[in-house]
């Protein structure tokens, strides 16, 4: 099952809106075939493994990280393929939370006389597909807040300069995070100040370009912004205002304007999440800035934080404090994190290439 989880991980960022799934076929205490769901619309992991077994799967045991599907989608049911292959035992890490499948796949296999066990490395499998699990049950995206921060909690110096708090190795990791998510999201102030591209740097085979979402309640994004004229995914601009002239100018540069509800003269984050869910966005990497971080945390749309800490002290204006200056006014109202991990990020060879620490944790519900 550990090997099946490793195989599933190979397709991170390329299976949405489907989950990542890995499968291993064992016969005579030997692995005879492996497979994983490589991309949405392609063979599911179980089918890929059965094909790789080359008619040798009869009387074998199948290990799979998620309950096999039992319905017709873009591909036929995996349960049919398992039954037809003559597999005698199926070991499943976790039940599929999708109500179309949940428990039904296991029931179908049992009715065919196949021994079914589930729960092996369940926790690991749930974490693997944390974005899919939320999306399929709540119909809203899984949101990861990502930031680079000094040890005294600054995301920029007193002049607003943030390049570079993190090192090159941390930025490479951030690129992987972008590629793993359906969308990258920032506020319009980040666009006006930094003029970012918000894409995944080309060069790695199979890198996926996420949708680039800008939160812009007054449509201040200039038509000349680099994000509209650089290689990358689609650009969606979420707004609450009916600025027809500005909207047409941005649409003429390829942007898609999304109109959402207003809350306190700003974008209603929860309404935006519902709308993005309807549009099939499963996961979002929220990249800033401080006001957006604070509003997102206050509105409760953040599921996970990923913070790159650099061993530097910047000082200066509280304006550039992480998550704003008034996000949490008292300890009893502080947002708590749980199930956190700390990963050292190696020093790189640049002038300011000091080592970083990646802190990842989940918002306590």
């Amino acid at each position: 099952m550990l090997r099946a989880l490793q195989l599933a991980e190979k397709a991170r960022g390329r299976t949405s809106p489907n989950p990542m799934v890995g499968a291993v076929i064992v016969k005579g205490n030997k692995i005879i075939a492996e497979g994983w769901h490589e991309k949405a619309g392609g063979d599911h992991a179980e089918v890929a493994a059965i094909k790789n077994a080359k008619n040798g799967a009869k009387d074998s045991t199948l290990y799979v990280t998620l309950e096999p599907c039992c319905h017709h989608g873009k591909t036929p049911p995996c349960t049919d393929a398992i039954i037809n292959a003559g597999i005698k035992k199926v070991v499943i890490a976790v039940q599929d939370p999708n109500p179309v499948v949940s428990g039904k796949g296991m029931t179908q296999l049992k009715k065919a006389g196949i021994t079914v066990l589930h729960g092996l490395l369940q926790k690991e499998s749930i974490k693997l597909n944390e974005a899919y699990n939320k999306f399929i049950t709540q119909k809203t995206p899984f949101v990861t807040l990502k930031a680079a921060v000094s040890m005294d909690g600054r995301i920029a110096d007193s002049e607003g300069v943030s390049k570079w708090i993190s090192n090159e190795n941390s930025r490479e990791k951030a690129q992987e995070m972008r590629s793993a998510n359906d969308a990258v999201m920032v506020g319009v102030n980040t666009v006006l100040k930094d003029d970012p591209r918000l894409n995944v740097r080309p060069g790695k085979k199979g890198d996926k370009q996420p949708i680039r979402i800008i939160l812009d309640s007054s449509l201040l994004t200039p038509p000349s912004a680099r994000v509209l004229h650089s290689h990358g995914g689609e650009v969606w601009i979420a707004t609450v205002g009916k600025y027809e002239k500005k909207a047409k100018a941005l649409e003429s540069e390829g942007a898609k304007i999304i109109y959402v509800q207003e809350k306190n003269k700003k974008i209603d984050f929860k309404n935006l999440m519902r709308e993005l869910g309807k549009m099939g966005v499963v996961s979002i990497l929220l990249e800033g800035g401080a006001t957006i971080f604070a509003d997102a945390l206050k509105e409760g749309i953040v599921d996970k934080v990923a913070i790159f800490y650099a061993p530097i002290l910047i000082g200066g204006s509280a304006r550039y404090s992480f998550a704003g200056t008034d996000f949490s006014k008292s300890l009893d109202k502080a947002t708590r994190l749980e199930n956190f991990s700390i990963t050292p990020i190696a020093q790189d060879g640049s002038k300011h290439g000091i080592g970083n620490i990646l802190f990842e944790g989940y918002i306590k519900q």
Side-chain angles (χ1 to χ4, degrees):
M1 191 64 77
L2 279 171
R3 177 58 181 161
L5 286 164
Q6 291 171 352
L7 293 168
E9 182 67 38
K10 286 175 175 283
R12 182 169 292 278
R14 293 187 286 278
T15 64
S16 182
N18 296 342
M20 293 172 280
V21 184
V24 172
I25 297 176
V26 175
K27 192 172 182 180
N29 293 322
K30 290 178 63 177
I31 292 176
I32 64 166
E34 300 178 336
W36 65 95
H37 183 41
E38 296 187 20
K39 62 180 180 178
D43 284 341
H44 287 191
E46 304 93 318
V47 172
I50 289 169
K51 286 182 177 179
N52 289 334
K54 302 184 185 302
N55 299 317
K58 184 176 174 58
D59 296 327
S60 66
T61 297
L62 170 69
Y63 290 82
V64 62
T65 58
L66 188 69
E67 178 182 10
C69 67
C70 54
H71 65 291
H72 282 271
K74 291 184 178 180
T75 58
C78 290
T79 50
D80 287 356
I82 293 167
I83 293 166
N84 293 335
I87 291 171
K88 68 177 182 179
K89 183 178 179 180
V90 177
V91 183
I92 299 165
V94 68
Q95 184 171 307
D96 193 335
N98 187 343
V100 177
V101 179
S102 190
K104 300 180 182 69
M106 290 189 284
T107 297
Q108 194 171 107
L109 294 174
K110 289 175 183 177
K111 284 183 177 179
I114 297 172
T115 299
V116 178
L117 302 174
H118 85 281
L120 179 61
L121 300 186
Q122 178 174 276
K123 183 178 178 181
E124 291 82 353
S125 186
I126 290 173
K127 183 176 182 180
L128 173 76
N129 283 307
E130 57 194 10
Y132 165 80
N133 295 335
K134 181 188 179 184
F135 179 78
I136 208 69
T137 56
Q138 300 182 35
K139 309 301 181 187
T140 55
F142 184 93
V143 178
T144 301
L145 185 159
K146 188 273 289 181
V149 181
S150 66
M151 296 306 293
D152 55 343
R154 299 292 191 262
I155 60 172
D157 65 19
S158 59
E159 300 298 321
V161 177
S162 60
K163 293 183 179 179
W164 294 102
I165 290 176
S166 64
N167 66 13
E168 181 61 30
N169 290 330
S170 292
R171 294 193 290 278
E172 282 296 322
K173 178 66 176 177
Q175 288 281 305
E176 292 176 12
M177 291 178 179
R178 282 186 180 179
S179 183
N181 282 270
D182 287 352
V184 172
M185 187 162 73
V186 300
V188 67
N189 287 337
T190 296
V191 174
L192 295 174
K193 185 172 131 336
D194 297 338
D195 198 18
R197 295 182 178 89
L198 300 177
N199 58 3
V200 175
R201 289 197 293 264
K204 292 183 179 179
K205 185 178 180 181
D207 275 347
K208 182 198 72 176
Q209 292 291 344
I211 299 162
R212 295 172 284 180
I213 301 174
I214 302 168
L215 306 181
D216 186 359
S217 58
S218 300
L219 283 189
L220 299 177
T221 301
S224 60
R226 288 200 304 177
V227 71
L228 294 166
H229 302 279
S230 58
H231 172 72
E234 294 180 23
V235 177
W236 296 358
I237 302 177
T239 188
V240 297
K242 301 294 183 181
Y243 305 95
E244 293 184 9
K245 187 176 180 180
K246 290 181 179 180
K248 286 182 179 179
L250 291 167
E251 287 172 335
S252 69
E253 299 298 338
K256 179 176 184 176
I257 308 300
I258 305 170
Y259 295 97
V260 296
Q261 294 176 8
E262 180 180 331
K263 183 176 181 180
N264 299 325
K265 297 182 179 181
K266 296 181 179 181
I267 286 170
D268 185 326
F269 273 89
K270 290 186 177 178
N271 176 253
L272 173 63
M273 292 301 108
R274 289 192 293 270
E275 292 302 313
L276 292 176
K278 291 176 185 176
M279 298 166 77
V281 178
V282 174
S283 58
I284 295 173
L285 188 66
L286 179 61
E287 295 199 5
T291 300
I292 295 298
F293 287 159
D295 289 344
L297 288 164
K298 286 177 184 177
E299 293 300 313
I301 67 159
V302 177
D303 298 286
K304 181 180 181 179
V305 298
I307 303 175
F308 293 93
Y309 280 102
I312 57 174
L313 301 171
I314 296 176
S317 173
R319 174 185 175 191
Y320 295 107
S321 293
F322 169 67
T325 59
D326 64 346
F327 165 58
S328 209
K329 294 183 178 180
S330 61
L331 280 175
D332 63 327
K333 294 180 180 178
T335 297
R336 307 286 176 175
L337 302 176
E338 59 185 0
N339 300 326
F340 57 84
S341 63
I342 297 173
T343 306
I345 305 293
Q347 179 174 333
D348 62 36
S350 66
K351 179 180 178 181
H352 301 292
I354 49 180
N356 288 185
I357 294 172
L358 172 58
F359 175 96
E360 295 177 282
Y362 296 83
I363 302 296
K364 188 173 183 179
Q365 303 300 320

